[in-house]
Amino acid sequence: MKFFLKEVSQSRREILAEAIGTFTLVFAGTGAVMVNSISNGAVTHLGISIVFGAVVAALIYSIGHLSGAHFNPAVTLAFYTSGFFPKRRVLPYIFAQSVGAIAASALLLISLGRVGNLGATLPLNDNWWQSLVLEFVLTFILMFVIFGSGLDRRAPIGFAGLAIGLTVGVEAAFMGPITGASMNPVRSLGPALVGGIWQHHWLYWLGPILGAQLAVIVYRQLSHNFQDIHSHWRNGT
């Protein structure tokens, strides 16, 4: 605990940025789900997907230089296991992401009421196995795009936010009706905790984390053991 508090104190700028970014992501994304319910479908499923993708892109461009713009424990853990993120910051980042997500869901509950399951992610027809596999695949694709567009020095400069945001939006558009297209454990945690909706919640941690780890393994092979990654990422900064 003492080590954890010391790291939080030393990295408070980055941790605050992660909390604010994750709050914004969950507030906008799950808020769109709730408003769609309130307005009898005025936002539409495609609109919800666009909100998720657009807010991710905006946050990457606005906060990426402050914290790396993870906003997702699966991403943080993947950066750590690939050697681009220091171990000492893993738990503080995940804590900040969790706090941000929970705060967003709490504010949405106060503001909009208990509608649309607070944007909770639930498997279609209670089919947890199907959603587990799909969340695994969706997060693998997302993490692969993050490596390829945001870290690989061979990629065009300045397009990472757009590529990652588009990936989130597209995946939410075509798989959202089946799994909720979480790809992010804390995006699912916020509504689950505040709304008390825990059905099959574990799969929204296991699937994304394992999918992101597979992306680490695959991209390691494609980048000559990450030798093609930008040097500042190699130092875990």
Side-chain angles (χ1 to χ4, degrees):
M1 178 59 73
K2 183 177 179 181
F3 175 81
F4 175 81
L5 293 175
K6 180 180 178 182
E7 183 57 34
V8 169
S9 176
Q10 292 178 345
S11 307
R12 57 184 177 274
R13 184 188 72 167
E14 294 87 348
I15 291 169
L16 180 60
E18 281 294 303
I20 293 172
T22 311
F23 171 89
T24 305
L25 168 61
V26 175
F27 186 77
T30 62
V33 175
M34 295 170 70
V35 171
N36 190 57
S37 177
I38 294 171
S39 62
N40 296 316
V43 181
T44 74
H45 170 65
L46 184 57
I48 294 169
S49 303
I50 292 172
V51 169
F52 269 111
V55 74
V56 166
L59 289 169
I60 290 172
Y61 287 123
S62 60
I63 301 181
H65 59 286
L66 297 176
S67 70
H70 297 192
F71 317 134
N72 184 337
V75 172
T76 297
L77 289 169
F79 279 156
Y80 163 64
T81 56
S82 53
F84 307 136
F85 193 69
K87 180 180 180 180
R88 68 182 186 278
R89 289 189 182 176
V90 171
L91 287 181
Y93 260 51
I94 293 176
F95 175 76
Q97 293 156 3
S98 300
V99 169
I102 293 167
S105 292
L107 182 57
L108 286 169
L109 176 62
I110 294 170
S111 304
L112 302 177
R114 193 174 292 275
V115 297
N117 284 331
L118 273 67
T121 48
L122 296 167
L124 180 66
N125 298 325
D126 232 24
N127 190 338
W128 64 267
W129 173 249
Q130 179 186 60
S131 289
L132 176 62
V133 171
L134 293 176
E135 285 291 328
F136 173 88
V137 174
L138 291 175
T139 315
F140 164 78
I141 295 170
L142 174 61
M143 195 69 220
F144 189 87
V145 171
I146 291 171
F147 278 133
S149 65
L151 276 70
D152 198 313
R153 59 186 166 193
R154 297 167 294 182
I157 297 174
F159 288 95
L162 181 61
I164 296 165
L166 282 172
T167 301
V168 170
V170 168
E171 293 190 327
F174 77 86
M175 278 302 177
I178 307 298
T179 75
S182 174
M183 302 168 276
N184 183 339
V186 296
R187 175 262 177 268
S188 294
L189 175 65
L193 181 63
V194 175
I197 305 168
W198 293 105
Q199 294 94 318
H200 306 299
H201 178 70
W202 60 271
L203 76 85
Y204 293 102
W205 285 81
L206 185 62
I209 289 173
L210 292 181
Q213 292 301 315
L214 178 61
V216 172
I217 295 170
V218 173
Y219 212 85
R220 188 186 301 275
Q221 301 303 314
L222 297 178
S223 60
H224 304 93
N225 197 27
F226 294 120
Q227 293 303 310
D228 297 315
I229 299 300
H230 285 292
S231 59
H232 69 280
W233 284 102
R234 294 291 298 171
N235 296 326
T237 58

